[in-house]
Amino acid sequence: MLIFNKKALLQNHLEALKTAQSTIGFVPTMGALHEGHLSLMQRSLNENTITVISIFVNPTQFNNPEDLQKYPRTLEADAGKIKTLSDSIIIFAPEVDEMYDGNTISQHYNFDGLENQMEGAHRPGHFDGVGTIVKKLFDIVKPNNAYFGEKDFQQLQIVKKLVEKNNLPINIVGCPISREASGLAMSSRNARLSDTEKQEAAFIYKTLQEAKSKFSTSSIPQLKQFVEDAFASHPEFTTDYFEIAPEESLVPASIKENTKYRAFIAVFLGNVRLIDNISLN
Ligand code: PAF
């Protein structure tokens, strides 16, 4: 299994590997890999002749310095997990300077307003950081297909917009959320939860499922009230937001129209921020 930390060496290797028939599948990650990441890689292996995974904790997308500092960095363990899937997966694990050349700042992006909702409103600068690093990685890896989990549904929509606005010939593949048996959405941040907190965190998805079951018979304000009341009786959580929004615009809605909706939630459990979402119809 090959691990590159210099972009030029990765690019030379990919150039040498590529044939007229080959396709590159790409899974960008920040490491601390879990089953969810492995399922994205497996999908890429199934659908492409070459699979590249990047492992890079991108400083510009963290609005909270403590979150950046505490983000798990587990390259050796990650490489071991990747190896269990396939020895042929190529890992790109650069240092910050290799990606930012001594200038660790984001480019400013306009994603037609997608960047202003929910995660964008609650984490200033986050999607500029995501857009900046994903564009840099796409320029280096030049994938045919790139795989993103629906847990970060807003990020997925933003990456699709990035590709559309820059006319990049990349197919963005959204993949279903991987969950623990308890229903908790898999996330690298779960590593920061105690065993008790992990059990408590199952309440997030349970509540989303209940909201989904009420969607056809309740108004959006009623559903928001239901979720607010549910979390009010669980003081271990602090709710950052709960919103119901059309999948396309992501603009939080108050009345239902004839479109596809999702419920989105962000909560703090202790000092760990967790997000999840569910399609409603
Ligand atoms: O979803 C993530 O892990 C990150 O936001 C990404 C897409 C790898 C960019 O740093």
Side-chain angles (χ1 to χ4, degrees):
M1 197 176 52
L2 290 172
I3 305 185
F4 292 92
N5 43 37
K6 299 283 177 220
K7 48 194 175 197
L9 295 180
L10 171 70
Q11 284 177 310
N12 290 345
H13 181 74
L14 290 176
E15 275 313 312
L17 263 188
K18 273 197 282 188
T19 66
Q21 285 78 39
S22 58
T23 61
I24 298 181
F26 179 43
V27 182
T29 80
M30 297 204 298
L33 302 181
H34 50 67
E35 287 295 324
H37 294 116
L38 299 187
S39 73
L40 301 183
M41 281 181 258
Q42 188 57 59
R43 179 132 181 218
S44 173
L45 285 169
N46 295 346
E47 297 177 358
N48 301 277
T49 52
I50 300 169
T51 288
V52 179
I53 170 177
S54 62
I55 297 180
F56 179 67
V57 181
N58 173 37
T60 62
Q61 71 188 74
F62 285 82
N63 56 314
N64 175 345
E66 192 192 336
D67 197 21
L68 171 61
Q69 192 217 328
K70 295 224 168 115
Y71 204 86
R73 289 158 173 89
T74 55
L75 183 57
E76 219 173 290
D78 290 344
K81 289 178 187 167
I82 295 168
K83 211 172 157 60
T84 63
L85 279 189
S86 167
D87 238 351
S88 71
I89 296 176
I90 298 164
I91 304 175
F92 180 48
E95 296 293 333
V96 172
D97 270 357
E98 181 67 7
M99 294 308 291
Y100 283 97
D101 224 357
N103 193 18
T104 315
I105 54 162
S106 304
Q107 193 181 319
H108 182 62
Y109 281 98
N110 171 351
F111 294 116
D112 292 346
L114 291 174
E115 73 279 19
N116 298 329
Q117 314 304 334
M118 298 180 290
E119 288 302 284
H122 287 257
R123 301 182 64 191
H126 172 65
F127 287 121
D128 280 341
V130 170
T132 301
I133 195 65
V134 170
K135 176 73 169 53
K136 282 176 188 284
L137 290 166
F138 282 174
D139 289 345
I140 295 166
V141 178
K142 297 192 172 43
N144 301 84
N145 299 301
Y147 298 82
F148 291 82
E150 285 184 347
K151 186 175 84 65
D152 298 293
F153 192 84
Q154 190 172 6
Q155 167 173 281
L156 170 65
Q157 299 298 65
I158 278 179
V159 171
K160 286 183 181 165
K161 187 64 78 179
L162 176 83
V163 162
E164 179 193 311
K165 287 205 157 195
N166 289 280
N167 288 316
L168 303 176
I170 304 173
N171 176 37
I172 302 301
V173 185
C175 302
I177 301 174
S178 297
R179 297 185 180 278
E180 305 288 352
S182 69
L184 174 63
M186 289 189 185
S187 163
S188 304
R189 286 195 171 81
N190 295 354
R192 291 175 52 201
L193 298 174
S194 66
D195 286 346
T196 311
E197 285 172 329
K198 274 188 194 143
Q199 282 167 17
E200 289 168 345
F203 181 70
I204 302 168
Y205 184 53
K206 184 171 164 278
T207 308
L208 287 182
Q209 282 178 304
E210 281 173 14
K212 181 181 172 92
S213 73
K214 293 177 187 300
F215 184 68
S216 61
T217 52
S218 309
S219 68
I220 289 179
Q222 282 170 334
L223 279 179
K224 291 183 78 167
Q225 192 61 53
F226 163 74
V227 172
E228 193 180 309
D229 293 346
F231 277 93
S233 57
H234 282 256
E236 63 275 23
F237 293 101
T238 308
T239 310
D240 214 9
Y241 62 78
F242 172 76
E243 297 290 359
I244 292 175
E247 291 192 348
E248 284 303 311
S249 72
L250 299 182
V251 178
S254 50
I255 46 167
K256 287 189 219 166
E257 286 171 6
N258 188 18
T259 185
K260 288 231 13 115
Y261 286 95
R262 259 179 201 256
F264 297 86
I265 192 161
V267 295
F268 283 93
L269 181 53
N271 59 1
V272 182
R273 189 170 182 278
L274 301 169
I275 62 171
D276 201 349
N277 68 82
I278 193 167
S279 90
L280 293 172
N281 53 339

